[in-house]
Amino acid sequence: MFSRPLFRQLPRWGCRAVGDFPAYQQPLTEVTTLSSGLRVASQYTSDETVTVGVWIDAGSRFETKENNGTAHFLEHMAFKGTKRRNRIQLEKEIENMGGHLNAYTSREQTVYYAKCFKDDLKQGVDILSDILQNSTLDQAHLDFERGVILREMEEVEKTTEEVIFDRLHLTAFHDSPLGYTILGPVENIQSISQEQLRDYIQTNYLAHRIVVAAAGPVDHLKLTQYADELFSSFRTGEETRSEVKPNFYGSELLYSSHEDGNLAHFAVGWQGVPWTHPDSLAFMVMQSIIGNYKKNEGLVPARLSSNRLTNSIANNVGPGADSLAAFNTSYKDTGLFGFYGQSDEATLDSYLDELLFSVSSLAFTATDEEVERGKRQLKTTLFGSLDSTTAIAEDIGRQLLVYGRRIPVAELLIRLDAVTTEQVKRVAKEHLFDRDIAVTALGPLDRMPPLTELRRRTAAARV
């Protein structure tokens, strides 16, 4: 989708020059590809601190059933000591710098980053390169981290939204590693070995799958020199992995319970599109159109909201509908689009009916007003989030992995402004109307309609 060059002819807004708009004055993102294939990228900002990190094209979807959980386990082991720094030395060095070191793992990416003062950039890069290339993977620390990860799993399982989304992936992509959880099953956590960790690094941590990204008062030339000097141990070459596009299944995974006072939690997902699909921006706009809802919250009363779905929930479904959040998740070769909600048991059927009708009806009833409002809200979300060096570095690293480049704000604005109501209708008709859905739910589900009935409602009409 974003492979085309920025348009030469930019639209005119009154008599002001395009360059007068702040969005078109975004600082340049400099990118250098080293001889190893590793990419170095940075954006200069006027701050006293800098965020530098390593974004790796590796996550839980590149695991097997036997080693699921390895990518996340490596994240824990990275901070337990290297050949040059033991755990205490590493923690003291970060503390003495006044810095911050963190990491996270997703289904397709693993990220390690440091936030430090601008004069400590080389030291930050050195620490990152050390924990990624020289971790000892000590057996004693490995055994200790098993307990830490199992406790983390217990905390995750207390967060219903995370449980729902893990189960939605499991039911939608149940014959693919994309359906695996990031933490992995208990039996794997208890048995993952040093050999499995090293094998995962050897297979996935290749130079051409790595981006070193930084944001802040950064000299790009120096950052490139540091990366070239310090990240020299990663294997080079264009070795390919087995990356089979996952099948999407219309299916359901339900967990019924009847504890007093519990709400029913549910998620419904359609097959979405990859990051680079031509319709990816239309999906983002549709997510914005559907929006979020929380009973008794918001500046404007829900009954008076200009959001059609929010208004309908408040006026037609009633107080049993507790909350709603639309989601749109893209991956390399597929995606998940849908909604997550909560309601009491008595309202569950009518609430699902209202939500399914509202999503599928975008194919025929989306209005110019809704699309324009959705685009404005999306712009606020996209650009309002880039308010720190960490957020900017994250944006750079992620975009280089998924698009192969950092999309200029000007280009993104032009493409977003080009999304039309007719395009939204077409995309909704092709991907959402009368299409298979994956469903998961937990809680009091006695009034949960069967999957066949929910599937029928994706094409239902109202008189």
Side-chain angles (χ1 to χ4, degrees), residues 135-198:
S135 284
T136 57
L137 304 179
D138 178 75
Q139 185 64 48
H141 285 136
L142 192 152
D143 292 334
F144 177 81
E145 287 303 309
R146 298 189 203 279
V148 174
I149 296 172
L150 289 172
R151 288 192 294 274
E152 181 181 345
M153 177 181 288
E154 291 175 358
E155 292 303 311
V156 168
E157 289 175 349
K158 293 176 185 176
T159 308
T160 307
E161 186 172 353
E162 291 199 36
V163 172
I164 285 284
F165 277 101
D166 276 345
R167 291 175 179 175
L168 185 63
H169 278 80
L170 174 60
T171 188
F173 305 114
H174 57 246
D175 67 350
S176 164
L178 193 58
Y180 295 165
T181 63
I182 294 169
L183 270 63
V186 171
E187 55 268 27
N188 284 11
I189 295 170
Q190 292 174 332
S191 63
I192 283 175
S193 65
Q194 291 173 311
E195 182 181 356
Q196 286 176 309
L197 295 174
R198 292 193 176 101

Side-chain angles (χ1 to χ4, degrees), residues 15 17 33 72 107 139 156 173 224 337 352 376 394 400 443 461:
C15 60
T33 301
H72 176 259
R107 285 181 164 81
Q139 185 64 48
V156 168
F173 305 114
T224 303
F337 178 89
L352 282 165
R376 288 195 299 271
E394 159 69 28
L400 259 71

